[in-house]
DNA sequence: TTGAAAGCGATACCAC
DNA sequence: GTGGTATCGCTTTCAA
C-alpha cells in the first residue's frame, strides 16, 4: 500500500497533525522533528500530501480551467490567443495556480470534462455561443471569467472584453472616408461550417459567434452611414482563422468584377492572408486594395497592415486577475478595454 | 452553505448513495427517481459531485500535468511543440483527461506547483537537465513520461524519443559529403544564458541540455569522421528557439571571413532564421551556403529547407498513450521513433 | 432498487 | 510545540 500521512506519523511516533505541519507549516514544529519526519517520509517512499485530499479539505484546488472551442494546437497557433493566454498564465504563475486545458470534443463528454475538472474557476474564451459546454460550466457554480463576450445567461459572470462593434465602426469609417464602395468582409464563423466561401448576407443576419457578430455590426453601421447597402457587401466565411484561409477567402473578393477595393478581416491572421493574395496578384495594398485587420499582432507592423489594436496580453492578465483575485465591487468585474485603430500603409484612398 | 450530495439526499428523502448513483450510474435507479433527484438538485443549486472529493475517493483525477521549462506562450509558439502537444491532447481527449499546464517560475514555488498538482501523472518535455522541478516530479511518485530524453535518474520512467545523435550524424554526413569544411552550428541552450553569441567549443563540452548535447554529438561525429577539427566548428548560442534568434545567430557565421559554407541548426525555427539571414545578404541557400534544420515543421517544405524529420505528432500521441494507457510490458514503455533526413534545396556542394 | 457505514487522505481547531 | 477530533464530499461495498 502507498504510505500516507498516517503511515509516516505512526513510524515516527507522532500524530498526523504534526506530519502535516512538517509539510505545510514548517514553523509550527522544531527543525529537528521536522527533519526526522521528512527523512522517514522519504525512506517510506511517501510522496507528500495528496493534492486531491488537500484540495478537498482546503476547498481550493490551485488550478483554473481554460475553455475554448478549438483544438489545442489551433488555439495556440493564433498569436492573439497566445498573447491572451500568456497574460492569464502570468497571473496564474503569480498565484501559484495551474492552467487546466480542457479538451472539448464534440460528443457527450463535453460536459463530462467540465463536470470533472478539478479547478477553482473557469476562464472561457473564444467559445462560440452554440457550444454545449456553456451549460455545463454554469452548472458547476464556480467563478467564471468570460473574455470576448458578455455572458447574458450568467449575469454575475466576470467579464473582460472590448467594445467590438465600436472598434470596427471606427475602422469602417476610416475606410468609407477613403471613398471605398466595393467592400468585402472576411471572418471565420460567419457560419458554423468550416468552409471558405462567400455567404449570402441573409445568412449573416444571425451570426452564431459573438465576436464575429459584433465586429460585423460595427462595420455594417459604418458602411450604412456612408450610404453603402449592406446587401452589397461581400461577406466571405473563412474555414478557420489562419493566414492560408484568409488568402483563400480573399480570392473571392479579388477575382471578380468589380473587384473589391477594401477588404476587412476580423483578425490579422486572416488579413495577412489577404495581403498574401494581393501580392500573388501583383496588387498593392493601400493603393489597389485597402486591407484592415484586427488584433495588431506582432507581424502586423512588419506587414504595414492597418488594423485595430487590442490589448491581448492585458486582457489575459485581467481575466486571470478577475478569477484569481476577484474585486470586492462586482462592478469592477466587468472590464471593457480600449481599442485603437492603427493606420498603416495597407489602407488608402479608393482607386478611381 | 453550498448544497452537497447529502443536502439533496435529505430533501428528496433518499440516501446519498442513491443521489450519487443518479449522477454516476444512471442505470442503477429508476428513471423517475433519477429525474426527481436531478430536479431537486437543480432547484437547490447543487453543482453536481465535487470533483476533488470524487478524485480523492476514486484515486483518479482525470488530468495529467505537462511540464516544460519555458513560458506558456513560447512553448506553444514553436510549431514542433504545438504538434507534440496536439498529439498529447488527442490522447487526452480520448481518455477524457485534461491537460494541466504548470507555470514553472524559477523560485521556490517551482516545487510547490509540482507538489500541488492534482494530476494522475506527468508528461515532461523540453525540460533542461538542470531544472529544479525534476526532483519534485520524481518525489510525487506518479507515472512519468519523458519526451526527448531518457531520465537516467528514474529508470522506470516511460520514454518516447528519437535517436538524436544518429539523426544529426546522418545529416552531418550529408553535409561533409558535399565537401563542406567551414561549418557552423546554431542551438539554443548551448549555455544556460539566453543570449545570442558564439560560444567557445570548450564550454560546449558540457552542454547543459540533453537534446542540444545529443544533436551536437551527432554532428561532431560526422564532422570528425570527415577530418574536420571539432574546435574549428563555429558554435553559436541562440537566445531562444525563434526565427529571429536564428537570423541573429547566423550573422556570426555569415559576416566573418572565411564565411561558413554550411550552417546546421537544432531546429527549423532557427534554420528558417538562417535562411532569412541569407536572403538579407543576397546569398542563395544550397549554393552559397547550405542550411540544415531539425523537425521538418510545416514551413520547412515551403522554404525548401533540408531538415531532419521527426514525428512530433506521433511522439505526442505516444507520450499521451504511455501515460494514459500504459503497456503491460515495461519494455514497451521505451519508444524510440525513427527520423529521416529530408533533402531539399537548401543543401548542396560546397562552393569553391 | 435502496440504504448504512466505512473509508479516501488530508487539514483546522482547540485543548494540552 | 504537539496531539485528538471533526470534517471536507464523495464512492463503494455489502445487506436489506
Amino acid at each position: 500500500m502507498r504510505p500516507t500521512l498516517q503511515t509516516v506519523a505512526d513510524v515516527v511516533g507522532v500524530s498526523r497533525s504534526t506530519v502535516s505541519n512538517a509539510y505545510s507549516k514548517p514553523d509550527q514544529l522544531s527543525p529537528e522533528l521536522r527533519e526526522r519526519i521528512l527523512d522517514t517520509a522519504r525512506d517510506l517512499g511517501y510522496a507528500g500530501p495528496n493534492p486531491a485530499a488537500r484540495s478537498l479539505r482546503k476547498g481550493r484546488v490551485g488550478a483554473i480551467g481554460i475553455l475554448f472551442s478549438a483544438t489545442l494546437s489551433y488555439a495556440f497557433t493564433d498569436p492573439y490567443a497566445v498573447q491572451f493566454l500568456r497574460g492569464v498564465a502570468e497571473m496564474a504563475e503569480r498565484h501559484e495556480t495551474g492552467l487546466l486545458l480542457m479538451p472539448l470534443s464534440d460528443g457527450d463528454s463535453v460536459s463530462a470534462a467540465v463536470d470533472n475538472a478539478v479547478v477553482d474557476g473557469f476562464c472561457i474564451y473564444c467559445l462560440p455561443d452554440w457550444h454545449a459546454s456553456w451549460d455545463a460550466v454554469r452548472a458547476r457554480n464556480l467563478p467564471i471569467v468570460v473574455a470576448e463576450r458578455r455572458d447574458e445567461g450568467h449575469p454575475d459572470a466576470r467579464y473582460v472584453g472590448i467594445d467590438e462593434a465600436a472598434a470596427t465602426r471606427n475602422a469602417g469609417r476610416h475606410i468609407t472616408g477613403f471613398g471605398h464602395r466595393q467592400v468585402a468582409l472576411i471572418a471565420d464563423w460567419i457560419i458554423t461550417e468550416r468552409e471558405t466561401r462567400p455567404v449570402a448576407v441573409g445568412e449573416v443576419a444571425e451570426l452564431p459567434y459573438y465576436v464575429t457578430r459584433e465586429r460585423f455590426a460595427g462595420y455594417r453601421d459604418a458602411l450604412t452611414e456612408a450610404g453603402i447597402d449592406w446587401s452589397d457587401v461581400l461577406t466571405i466565411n473563412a474555414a478557420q482563422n489562419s493566414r492560408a484561409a484568409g488568402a483563400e477567402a480573399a480570392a473571392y473578393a479579388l477575382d471578380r468584377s468589380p473587384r473589391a477595393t477594401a477588404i476587412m478581416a476580423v483578425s490579422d491572421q486572416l488579413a495577412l492572408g489577404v495581403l498574401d493574395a494581393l501580392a500573388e496578384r501583383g496588387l498593392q495594398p493601400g493603393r489597389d486594395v485597402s486591407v484592415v485587420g484586427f488584433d495588431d499582432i506582432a507581424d502586423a507592423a512588419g506587414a504595414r497592415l492597418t488594423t485595430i489594436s487590442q490589448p491581448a496580453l492585458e486582457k489575459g492578465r485581467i481575466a486571470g486577475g478577475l478569477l484569481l483575485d476577484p474585486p470586492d465591487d462586482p462592478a469592477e468585474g466587468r472590464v471593457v478595454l480600449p481599442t485603437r485603430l492603427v493606420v498603416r500603409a495597407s489602407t488608402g484612398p479608393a482607386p478611381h
Side-chain angles (χ1 to χ4, degrees), chain A residues 6 29 64 76 125 181 279 289 331:
Chain A
Q6 183 71 259
L29 69 175
I64 55 182
F76 285 105
Y125 114 83
R181 313 287 303 176
V289 180

Side-chain angles (χ1 to χ4, degrees), chain A residues 21-42:
Chain A
N21 285 335
Y23 282 96
S24 313
K25 297 172 181 162
D27 44 334
Q28 296 288 305
L29 69 175
S30 65
E32 302 79 45
L33 180 55
R34 183 175 130 91
E35 193 68 16
R36 194 148 59 90
I37 291 174
L38 261 32
D39 283 350
T40 315
R42 198 171 308 123

Side-chain angles (χ1 to χ4, degrees), chain A residues 4-10 12-30 33-34 37-38 46 49 54 57:
Chain A
T4 74
L5 246 189
Q6 183 71 259
T7 323
V8 179
D10 289 347
V12 181
V14 294
S15 77
R16 356 189 238 264
S17 329
T18 305
V19 179
S20 175
N21 285 335
Y23 282 96
S24 313
K25 297 172 181 162
D27 44 334
Q28 296 288 305
L29 69 175
S30 65
L33 180 55
R34 183 175 130 91
I37 291 174
L38 261 32
Y46 175 61
R54 169 179 280 172
R57 183 60 240 229

Side-chain angles (χ1 to χ4, degrees), chain A residues 254 259-263 278 283-291 346:
Chain A
L254 299 174
R259 186 165 64 209
T261 66
I263 303 180
L278 290 189
L283 297 170
Q284 187 182 322
R287 191 195 59 190
D288 302 318
V289 180
S290 287
V291 180
S346 74

Side-chain angles (χ1 to χ4, degrees), chain A residues 76-93:
Chain A
F76 285 105
T77 302
D78 178 40
Y80 162 74
V82 170
Q83 281 301 96
F84 174 78
L85 283 164
R86 182 198 291 211
V88 177
E90 243 178 51
M91 293 307 283
E93 225 161 321

Side-chain angles (χ1 to χ4, degrees), chain A residues 186 196 236 245-255 263 273-275 277-278 281:
Chain A
I186 297 178
T196 300
I236 307 160
E248 205 185 325
Y252 289 98
L254 299 174
D255 300 341
I263 303 180
V274 175
L275 293 181
L278 290 189
R281 290 163 178 77

Side-chain angles (χ1 to χ4, degrees), chain A residues 116-163:
Chain A
N116 290 317
V118 188
V119 296
D120 298 316
F122 290 99
C123 176
I124 305 182
Y125 114 83
C126 235
L127 191 65
D129 307 14
W130 70 83
H131 205 282
S133 49
W134 279 105
D135 288 332
V137 174
R138 296 201 190 98
R140 276 297 297 275
N141 232 313
L142 287 175
I144 300 179
V145 166
V146 186
E148 302 176 334
R149 180 186 201 298
R150 285 201 162 74
D151 182 4
E152 295 84 9
H154 190 122
D156 292 334
R158 282 157 252 174
Y159 160 85
V160 54
I162 55 177
D163 189 335

